[in-house]
Amino acid sequence: MARIVAADDDDGTQQFYSMELNSISSVSDSTLGQLLKNVSDVRKLAIGDETPVHESFNQDNDDDNLMQTVPFVLSFDNLTYNVSIRQKLTFRDLIPRRKTEDPELAQTVTPPNTKTLLNNISGETRDGEIMAVLGASGSGKSTLIDALANRIAKGSLKGTVKLNGETLQSRTLKVISAYVMQDDLLFPMLTVEETLMFAAEFRLPRSLPKSKKKLRVQALIEQLGIKNAAKTIIGDEGHRGISGGERRRVSIGIDIIHDPILLFLDEPTSGLDSTSAYMVVKVLKRIAQSGSIVIMSIHQPSHRVLGLLNRLIFLSRGNTVFSGSPGSLPRFFAEFGSPIPENENRTEFALDLIRELEGSAGGTRGLIEFNKKWQEMKKEDNRQPPLTPPASPYPNLTLKEAIAASISRGKLVSGGESAAISTSTAATTLTVPAFANSIWIEIVTLSKRSMLNSRRQPELFGIRLASVVITGFILATVFWRIDNSPKGVQERLGFFAFAMSTMFYTCAEALPVFLQERYIFMRETAYNAYRRSSYVLSHAIVAFPSLIFLSVAFAATTFWAVGLDGGPMGFLFYCLIILASFWSGSSFVTFLSGIVPHVMLGYTIVVAILAYFLLFSGFFINRNRIPDYWIWFHYMSLVKYPYEAVLQNEFSDATKCFVRGVQIFDNTPLGVLPEGMKLRLLDSVSRSLGTTISSSTCLTTGADILTQQGVTQLSKWNCLLITVGFGFFFRALFYFCLLLGSKNKRR
């Protein structure tokens, strides 16, 4: 039975009060969410608070009397990770050879096409500490961080990762941890404050008032030391913004907005000067002292940075060559036979020595073996006993109880939703969800962020609108006031084919939108900032208003100038089919952006596929003349349905005539004959047919043109619905691409 209630006194210190957690100790099969809720809710009753209060970031780094935290110990044992490498195919590989090796021996030896990235890596660290992983490029630093953060596919990684002696489950890890990537993945046109506020909207529960979220953001800005840059945009290559060190701290702030218990960072000081790197690590030290476990990879720390680190692991080609505290480095290398000079940076000396050994004949094998013996000697001499949760006001907690107790003192804000509780059992019927907010709040927040970022780059939409208007203007002047002659019919067909295909080619600009946001999306969804479905719906909602403007602009530029038929209702349908074309084209390109990894490759694929769609649309070759083995592509063509819809909108009037009398000879070699000769030929044709055909007799109506073009299977409204349906279909495919292809895990 645990007694773990914590509350804040008026002076800012934290005192622990006794409380029996009957619900935790008696219900062994309770969910993590229920356990988190129990302690959080009782804490709020004990201190009279209605919302979660976060105090841990108000601690000063130099304060020696840090509040007592819930103990956490992260341990990892024998982590091994092998990957298969592709071998170049040679001529000898094509020649079959007899197998002479012993099959039993083959099973015990690592295959020659397998590379070991991690080889039996073990270690441990606890809350309040920073554990740094060091090594040269390719040593396995980032791989170890990924292994600890569950970013390697299940089954590929061998070994165990435990928190307080219990194996970490994937769902639990997502709730209590955060991962900061090496690259700063931020929206360039948002300010620092806006970026962190949107992160708070995603990661903090909706039960927390917006005023409290703003206070949380302001406290985090103070903690990160970026108050002077709070109103400055992030910036990119084309827009001046904050400095590199400030960008790195903002990237860290996004992932610690909910104050996680475990924080993983992949080279947070990469590319920074020594002062900026020190400031970043100093921020991480404060985070660790607030009750978090901080694990990061770092390339070559300075002397000041080294003073902030608590535990070091040196790697060499996937093997541990040193594991211990920074203070034990001199003794380790002295006993190895390579003492560190007094005035030299310890880590620089160690890394230089490791590189030198890697280039030697024996490699680092001697150093690896010495480290194993040294670790055994430490255990025998009791110099460094294994880490165990230290003495605390609440010993013998299970992992779930420890996490719940940590929440009760202000950690892990995303777990602090309010809920009604029973006064007799202190139990709640609600659970902490995998996501902090509902899908609708996520959609609104994502849409707001995307529109704000786009509104500050009006030139992007302006260029797209200008291209549509200019294209419409060129078409309007080229096809100005087309008459109702046979030549006019052909010109109308050409205009419609070009106009409808233009709608889809214009949508190609949607390709880089997601490609630029892909890694931001993967970072945010990897630890449940929001749902993938929310992103897909928000992406569609934000894109749609601009499509309406483009559709009306193109329709207004071309409809009356070209002289299209249908009046006001015809114009309305013309706008609708253009909008549907933009919608389906944008959805198709968005779907492709979820598949292809590069912009140029995506453009190549988009242009090629749209060309095929136009080829099989029915304009270049009639549907009845398309070979049977290609007819399936005709029905898959996105251009087919808008093209047939505008043809029916134009030629649906059965009373409108397009070929009269001698116009029958137009578009033929007889069209160059004098008018009198055409009349005599027409009279001869009339006598042969036994009917009277005068110069005013209507020979071809709009219905006849539709029949000639093979547009007889679907009505224009059905074509419109199919075009809209294609848009939803490709949005659904885009969702499945994100669901299956953005796991962000190594295999």
Side-chain angles (χ1 to χ4, degrees), residues 649-665:
N649 191 53
E650 179 68 18
F651 299 113
S652 59
D653 188 357
T655 63
K656 192 170 184 179
C657 186
F658 291 92
V659 178
R660 295 179 181 275
V662 295
Q663 289 181 335
I664 194 175
F665 301 116

Side-chain angles (χ1 to χ4, degrees), residues 470-485:
I470 291 173
T471 302
F473 174 77
I474 293 174
L475 289 175
T477 53
V478 170
F479 296 96
W480 179 263
R481 295 294 179 181
I482 300 176
D483 56 21
N484 294 330
S485 64

Side-chain angles (χ1 to χ4, degrees), residues 72-77 122-126 129 164-165 311 323-324 375-391:
F72 288 102
V73 173
L74 180 73
S75 60
F76 46 96
D77 299 305
S122 299
E124 54 188 1
T125 184
R126 59 151 294 165
E129 296 182 344
N164 285 12
R311 295 182 182 273
S323 178
Q375 298 294 338
E376 292 295 329
M377 290 169 53
K378 285 198 303 180
K379 291 181 180 179
E380 293 175 0
D381 297 343
N382 201 25
R383 297 175 185 170
Q384 186 179 1
L387 280 179
T388 57

Side-chain angles (χ1 to χ4, degrees), residues 70-77 79 121-133 144-150 160-169 172-173 176-178 261-265 291-296 311 313 323 384 386-390 399 403:
V70 181
F72 288 102
V73 173
L74 180 73
S75 60
F76 46 96
D77 299 305
L79 295 182
I121 307 296
S122 299
E124 54 188 1
T125 184
R126 59 151 294 165
D127 59 290
E129 296 182 344
I130 298 180
M131 185 176 77
V133 184
L144 178 57
I145 298 295
D146 288 345
L148 297 176
N150 191 33
T160 58
V161 179
K162 296 182 178 180
L163 186 63
N164 285 12
E166 298 183 27
T167 302
L168 267 176
Q169 302 298 325
T172 305
L173 185 63
I176 68 173
S177 68
I261 295 172
L262 295 175
L263 178 60
F264 304 99
L265 306 100
S292 297
I293 298 175
V294 178
I295 303 176
M296 68 175 185
R311 295 182 182 273
I313 293 182
S323 178
Q384 186 179 1
L387 280 179
T388 57
L399 177 58
I403 294 173

Side-chain angles (χ1 to χ4, degrees), residues 224-276:
L224 296 172
I226 50 177
K227 186 176 181 180
N228 293 333
K231 302 296 182 181
T232 307
I233 64 171
I234 301 298
D236 57 9
E237 294 81 359
H239 304 85
R240 187 177 180 84
I242 59 179
S243 67
E246 291 168 335
R247 287 172 63 92
R248 188 59 47 85
R249 279 177 272 172
V250 173
S251 297
I252 296 172
I254 288 175
D255 289 300
I256 65 171
I257 191 73
H258 62 306
D259 197 9
I261 295 172
L262 295 175
L263 178 60
F264 304 99
L265 306 100
D266 186 11
E267 297 206 22
T269 62
S270 176
L272 302 181
D273 58 79
S274 60
T275 302
S276 298

Side-chain angles (χ1 to χ4, degrees), residues 12-29:
T13 61
Q14 194 170 61
Q15 302 293 333
F16 291 89
Y17 299 93
S18 175
M19 185 203 81
E20 294 186 0
L21 293 182
N22 296 324
S23 60
I24 295 179
S25 59
S26 61
V27 184
S28 60
D29 58 348

Side-chain angles (χ1 to χ4, degrees), residues 627-703:
D628 292 339
Y629 48 83
W630 282 118
I631 195 65
W632 59 273
F633 210 122
H634 170 73
Y635 291 103
M636 288 182 59
S637 172
L638 294 181
V639 181
K640 160 188 164 62
Y641 301 98
Y643 176 66
E644 291 187 359
V646 291
L647 287 186
Q648 294 186 65
N649 191 53
E650 179 68 18
F651 299 113
S652 59
D653 188 357
T655 63
K656 192 170 184 179
C657 186
F658 291 92
V659 178
R660 295 179 181 275
V662 295
Q663 289 181 335
I664 194 175
F665 301 116
D666 291 354
N667 297 329
T668 69
L670 299 178
V672 298
L673 295 175
E675 187 70 17
M677 181 66 72
K678 291 180 182 178
L679 290 174
R680 287 194 292 272
L681 288 173
L682 188 61
D683 183 61
S684 177
V685 171
S686 300
R687 288 195 301 271
S688 299
L689 296 176
T691 183
T692 302
I693 302 177
S694 64
S695 59
S696 60
T697 302
C698 182
L699 300 177
T700 303
T701 63

